[in-house]
Amino acid sequence: MKQRLLVGLSTMSLIMAGCGNGDENGEEFTSAAATSTDAKLNVQMVKSLVEDQTDHTVEIVEDLPASPQIFAGIERGEFDIASLYSGEVHNNYFDEVEYTTDPDETLEQAQTFFGEEYDIKWYDPIGFINNYSIGVQESFAEENNIETVTDLGEYADELTLGTDNAWIERDNDGYRGFQEAYGYEFADARGMDVSLMYDGIANGEVDVVTTYTVDPQIIENDLEVLEDDQEFFPPYESSLVATNEVVDSHPEINEILESMVDLISTEEMTDLMYEVEIEERDTKQVADEFLQEKGMLD
Amino acid sequence: MEILSGFFEYWTESYASILEYTYEHIAISFTVILLGISFSIPLAVYMTKMKNNKIKNMIFNIANIFQTIPPIALLAVMVPIAGIGFAPAVIALFLYSLLPLLRNTYAGIESIDPEIVEAARGMGYSTLQSLFKIELPVAFPYVMSGIRVSSVYIISWTALAALIGAGGLGDLILAGIGYNDQFMIFTGTIAAILIAVLLDLILGRMEKRIYGSS
């Protein structure tokens, strides 16, 4: 018995040693994504492209609670590449950033401020936008002829809002700002986990949700996204970022990240997320298929 | 110094919402604690009188299992059953309060020398008389420590109830995580600690007063 174990162990170590030889020239990079599926797909695509085109490997760290944890990781040198949104520049990081909902201005602010503060390169948007938006059940919108967020105001005093825990307390683009911009509030506003928010509106426990524009749950739960007619919500354009250290020392990585600019439209990302979240398919498979379709991967 | 003034500014700006979160937190956790006490302690007393060991073990095992389910999972499981908000949070946390209350009360009464109970019976005490005059007073410190332990647990776990729309100080903590605001995180945490410490102090006082007089 003991002998067999020994033979087994030595064979295994031989195999493992054999595998190690391939990556002599490669380095390992770490790529971070928060809990949202779109960010996970982004970094998965980075991983596939980098590992296909170079000798480097990319390790993915995902399900980080929110962007502050990603920035903290970048600051500590734990993450080299990440997926982030331009609108986060209004998330209480910089006092001197002037609040705006103009997409170009927001992007420029994000590139400048985050770029300097965290010594990173903030690439141009990957193509899709993941804004906050107000969603209600389709049937409710049709019955009451509601198309815009302003239209909803008439019914607001009987409606319960379900939202993520942060939105209620956010300054500029949060609930307080919303009340100012639209001039009404809901009968009740409850913060909760995002996945439960959709369960909640599906079984009628909440009537209104702050949904995200790329979210396939909108299709799955027959939600109507209302037009933000006061242009209240700031743009959340998705971008890849990488530390300047990596960008400067590895032009091949920079090239790959550049090649991903304008790669995925909002509709395309919604479809991909539908595959992952609703069809429960593997993130890597879905990401690779998309890259193959685009001719970026064999 | 800057941190202190930051806190001060945050508190003066949003004391109304902080109070509201604190109130929600207290409402959830105190409801759970009261429910837990009024259910578990009589049950534990009844269990000490039970002859059937199988049922006894089963009850302990069930309480034990609840204790091992990660709180987030139990809260999430509650949503399809009890919906979103106050009710599922109370039910889930109530299940957590069972074990420490049951165990402590049971152990307290079981630890009494059977001869004392026997002697009481010999003196003509009825079962109820012996329970209220002898067994419960002797077991009282155990029962109280069960109540104190589970209270502290419940107050801290109530923070997770914010994930299922029940509100409470967890809302503040999660909002702070998502919105990059340490003041929110710390305020939520400190307030939860304060509630737990204060309640523990009050329970300690109560224990001394009652125990001292009995």
Side-chain angles (χ1 to χ4, degrees), chain A residues 150-176:
Chain A
T150 302
D151 293 345
L152 189 63
E154 208 181 308
Y155 307 91
D157 54 1
E158 300 163 2
L159 301 177
T160 303
L161 170 78
T163 178
D164 65 66
N165 296 88
W167 193 68
I168 297 179
E169 289 294 326
R170 292 165 90 99
D171 274 338
N172 302 313
D173 64 334
Y175 190 36
R176 283 184 214 108

Side-chain angles (χ1 to χ4, degrees), chain A residues 17-30:
Chain A
C19 289
N21 282 340
D23 312 315
E24 264 171 1
N25 312 315
E27 271 179 55
E28 186 180 78
F29 297 100
T30 307

Side-chain angles (χ1 to χ4, degrees), chain A residues 25 44 64 72 102 147 155 163 169 257 288:
Chain A
N25 312 315
Q44 184 59 54
L64 293 154
D102 180 81
E147 283 174 4
Y155 307 91
T163 178
E169 289 294 326
L257 296 179
D288 286 357

Side-chain angles (χ1 to χ4, degrees), chain A:
Chain A
M1 190 66 207
K2 244 185 190 167
Q3 232 169 1
R4 243 193 235 171
L5 199 72
L6 265 176
V7 173
L9 275 176
S10 50
T11 330
M12 248 171 66
S13 54
L14 269 176
I15 293 171
M16 279 161 85
C19 289
N21 282 340
D23 312 315
E24 264 171 1
N25 312 315
E27 271 179 55
E28 186 180 78
F29 297 100
T30 307
S31 183
T35 52
S36 59
T37 307
D38 52 316
K40 291 181 190 171
L41 282 162
N42 280 357
V43 294
Q44 184 59 54
M45 288 184 205
V46 171
K47 178 180 166 79
S48 290
L49 290 176
V50 168
E51 293 182 354
D52 182 52
Q53 296 175 19
T54 70
D55 291 334
H56 307 306
T57 53
V58 175
E59 192 207 341
I60 292 177
V61 178
E62 54 187 17
D63 282 322
L64 293 154
S67 56
Q69 286 72 45
I70 295 183
F71 284 114
I74 290 173
E75 219 166 21
R76 285 197 302 265
E78 288 167 2
F79 305 143
D80 308 298
I81 302 163
S83 164
L84 292 162
Y85 307 102
S86 58
E88 278 162 14
V89 75
H90 300 305
N91 255 4
N92 210 16
Y93 289 94
F94 310 103
D95 290 336
E96 61 272 35
V97 169
E98 205 159 314
Y99 182 66
T100 168
T101 55
D102 180 81
D104 295 336
E105 242 174 277
T106 306
L107 175 67
E108 205 191 302
Q109 287 174 333
Q111 290 179 325
T112 321
F113 283 94
F114 283 126
E116 280 168 14
E117 175 79 16
Y118 295 97
D119 199 18
I120 54 177
K121 174 164 174 183
W122 190 289
Y123 288 82
D124 281 342
I126 202 163
F128 67 88
I129 299 178
N130 194 5
N131 275 7
Y132 271 107
S133 57
I134 297 289
V136 295
Q137 279 190 321
E138 236 165 39
S139 52
F140 178 78
E142 268 165 35
E143 269 164 39
N144 300 296
N145 206 11
I146 300 167
E147 283 174 4
T148 64
V149 180
T150 302
D151 293 345
L152 189 63
E154 208 181 308
Y155 307 91
D157 54 1
E158 300 163 2
L159 301 177
T160 303
L161 170 78
T163 178
D164 65 66
N165 296 88
W167 193 68
I168 297 179
E169 289 294 326
R170 292 165 90 99
D171 274 338
N172 302 313
D173 64 334
Y175 190 36
R176 283 184 214 108
F178 178 89
Q179 290 172 31
E180 264 170 48
Y182 279 102
Y184 64 82
E185 59 179 304
F186 296 100
D188 194 11
R190 311 221 63 96
M192 62 192 73
D193 189 69
V194 172
S195 56
L196 296 178
M197 174 177 97
Y198 291 111
D199 288 347
I201 195 162
N203 58 33
E205 288 195 73
V206 296
D207 312 295
V208 184
V209 290
T210 51
T211 177
Y212 307 92
T213 41
V214 284
D215 213 322
Q217 301 284 355
I218 296 171
I219 314 173
E220 184 62 13
N221 290 304
D222 295 324
L223 300 185
E224 178 86 21
V225 174
L226 302 179
E227 190 202 331
D228 178 19
D229 50 328
Q230 297 289 329
E231 292 181 1
F232 166 70
F233 290 109
Y236 267 59
E237 288 189 280
S238 173
S239 279
L240 295 169
V241 308
T243 58
N244 282 327
E245 199 189 321
V246 170
V247 173
D248 295 338
S249 58
H250 296 280
E252 67 280 12
I253 301 276
N254 180 44
E255 214 170 282
I256 289 171
L257 296 179
E258 285 285 4
S259 75
M260 291 177 72
V261 169
D262 264 332
L263 179 67
I264 314 165
S265 70
T266 304
E267 290 74 27
E268 283 171 327
M269 184 43 97
T270 307
D271 290 342
L272 298 185
M273 288 172 71
Y274 191 93
E275 293 293 311
V276 173
E277 286 184 18
I278 315 290
E279 304 285 345
E280 297 182 351
R281 293 187 54 208
D282 182 48
T283 315
K284 178 177 165 50
Q285 262 179 22
V286 173
D288 286 357
E289 265 174 34
F290 178 77
L291 290 174
Q292 284 156 5
E293 245 171 66
K294 292 273 167 180
M296 296 174 75
L297 200 71
D298 297 331

